Amino acid sequence: VRTYYYIWQLALRRRSKELQKAIGFDIAHHLTFGNFSFPAGICLANIPFVWGPIGGVDRIPESLKSELSLKGQLFETLRDISHKIFFNIDPLVGMTLRRARIILCRTRETQKFISGRNSDKHTGLILETGKPYVPHLKTTIKSGGADDETNILFSGRLIPLKGVSLALKAFKIFSDNHTNAAFHIVGDGYEKQNLLRLTEHLGLSDRVIYWGALARHAALTKVKACDIFLYPSLREGGTWSLMEAMALEKPVICLDHSGPGEMVTDECGIKVKPSNPEQTIKDLSDALLKLANDPELRKRMGAAGRKRVVEHYTWERKGEFIKKVYEEVLSREIS
């Protein structure tokens, strides 16, 4: 893929020069691939350009890498080394960094990384994901009585970096003290068999329901019916399922790290600081207990989550942001 990408970008240089001569662009915007170690061939043309949103800087916290299999840990190590090599030795990456008028970053980790390499470089913060609209769907907040079942849900790919093993272990502690609870897992992936074995080992087979990959409407129906959205992803930029849950007024529990840490505020969810696995699992279970016992808090957080999506993550809002970025680039060129 990288070999193809470089051929494509070098070909783009020639084509963009031809188009620039014929049309005369004011701004170019390089979107693909959204990774800081993949350069923009447009930097070789004499066109002011915007780079991003880019990511790839976010890493799984070292203290939580033990949650991964040996294969997963090896993959993450090779990924980090690969990114560092290509960023530091690839002259086209360096040229892209220097010549971009504005670099848009997916997360604050990426923004901090770019600023550390070039403190004078202007950056912006915007996730690449957005919603075309936010549907109005009525949700029912339970009274929180003793007979009410608490339904917790995770939705996403079943791969190691999603942190589902952390979620299962946290649910185990929570459900030992809150017996009338169920954990629904929507999604599929190569980690599923390991998670099924862990579920059985924890004695949770009668409380954890694996729904597999569902059609979008069916998945949204599950999200709408849940009380708490549990999403302890270890490394991620923008995440669609988290945004959907917030739009459906569900309180969120996630790690205070990477993309989810940017999307979720203290008003719309509980963010757990990544620590060692034992402490992180305990903090996640405490968050579950807090939300399960406080229906009014769930209601307030759900409403705040929806408000945040409407104000920051619709395509209309993102369009307004990008428009301002282009205007800033143009004002610099004119001055």
Side-chain angles (χ1 to χ4, degrees):
V1 171
R2 188 175 286 272
T3 301
Y4 164 78
Y5 181 89
Y6 275 77
I7 294 171
W8 173 32
Q9 293 304 303
L10 291 173
L12 173 64
R13 173 181 179 270
R14 178 181 177 182
R15 182 60 176 151
S16 61
K17 283 191 171 185
E18 292 172 354
L19 288 171
Q20 175 66 352
K21 185 176 180 180
I23 298 173
F25 297 108
D26 298 298
I27 301 174
H29 189 162
H30 181 85
L31 299 167
T32 314
F33 276 8
N35 191 306
F36 77 102
S37 66
F38 282 84
I42 199 71
C43 74
L44 298 172
N46 190 26
I47 308 172
F49 80 100
V50 177
W51 186 24
I54 60 169
V57 171
D58 304 87
R59 303 171 62 192
I60 291 179
E62 288 293 332
S63 59
L64 292 176
K65 279 190 175 180
S66 60
E67 281 296 304
L68 303 178
S69 64
L70 185 60
K71 179 181 178 181
Q73 293 181 43
L74 178 61
F75 173 83
E76 290 298 319
T77 300
L78 292 175
R79 171 184 178 271
D80 293 341
I81 292 173
S82 170
H83 282 177
K84 286 180 180 178
I85 289 175
F86 281 105
F87 189 86
N88 289 315
I89 71 171
D90 188 332
L92 194 55
V93 172
M95 193 176 297
T96 301
L97 175 64
R98 291 191 302 273
R99 293 189 177 182
R101 297 297 196 272
I102 294 178
I103 300 176
L104 302 179
C105 304
R106 298 162 71 184
T107 64
R108 294 189 192 279
E109 284 91 341
T110 303
Q111 197 173 30
K112 183 178 179 180
F113 176 83
I114 295 297
S115 297
R117 296 302 175 112
N118 190 335
S119 58
D120 295 329
K121 183 60 63 177
H122 184 70
T123 61
L125 186 66
I126 182 172
L127 287 175
E128 78 280 14
T129 48
K131 286 187 65 61
Y133 67 99
V134 181
H136 181 70
L137 297 173
K138 292 183 179 180
T139 56
T140 302
I141 304 297
K142 297 173 185 175
S143 63
D147 295 332
D148 282 342
E149 182 178 60
T150 302
N151 286 292
I152 299 155
L153 184 135
F154 166 89
S155 178
R157 289 181 298 156
L158 301 187
I159 56 178
L161 64 85
K162 294 292 185 177
V164 185
S165 61
L166 288 173
L168 285 168
K169 294 171 186 177
F171 178 73
K172 166 63 177 174
I173 298 173
F174 165 75
S175 61
D176 283 347
N177 299 291
H178 199 288
T179 55
N180 198 14
F183 186 21
H184 302 261
I185 298 177
V186 175
D188 209 347
Y190 64 86
E191 183 73 357
K192 184 174 182 178
Q193 290 305 314
N194 290 334
L195 294 173
L196 286 169
R197 284 191 288 268
L198 177 61
T199 300
E200 185 176 359
H201 174 74
L202 294 172
L204 294 173
S205 298
D206 59 336
R207 298 185 186 182
V208 178
I209 303 99
Y210 288 85
W211 293 98
L214 299 177
R216 185 169 185 271
H217 177 75
L220 289 178
T221 300
K222 296 295 182 189
V223 176
K224 183 182 175 183
C226 79
D227 301 298
I228 302 167
F229 192 78
L230 178 58
Y231 196 82
S233 180
L234 300 170
R235 170 178 63 76
E236 197 154 5
T239 165
W240 180 257
S241 57
L242 181 57
M243 193 181 297
E244 291 278 19
M246 292 169 65
L248 292 174
E249 299 187 5
K250 299 303 171 182
V252 173
I253 299 173
C254 66
L255 298 185
D256 191 6
H257 179 68
S258 196
E262 296 288 342
M263 295 176 66
V264 178
T265 65
D266 292 335
E267 287 71 36
C268 53
I270 299 177
K271 298 191 290 186
V272 170
K273 291 286 185 185
S275 181
N276 59 70
E278 293 76 17
Q279 186 62 50
T280 302
I281 291 165
K282 181 183 183 302
D283 291 342
L284 289 171
S285 67
D286 288 345
L288 286 171
L289 190 61
K290 182 177 181 177
L291 288 178
N293 290 336
D294 195 337
E296 285 303 315
L297 178 60
R298 298 201 305 270
K299 183 177 180 180
R300 289 197 305 272
M301 285 187 165
R306 177 183 171 84
K307 182 173 182 286
R308 182 159 172 78
V309 171
V310 170
E311 291 180 349
H312 296 279
Y313 299 119
T314 62
W315 286 120
E316 288 79 9
R317 295 297 188 192
K318 290 177 184 288
E320 292 168 4
F321 178 87
I322 296 296
K323 178 175 179 286
K324 290 178 181 178
V325 169
Y326 292 165
E327 288 172 345
E328 183 174 345
V329 172
L330 287 174
S331 66
R332 288 185 179 188
E333 291 305 305
I334 294 172
S335 61

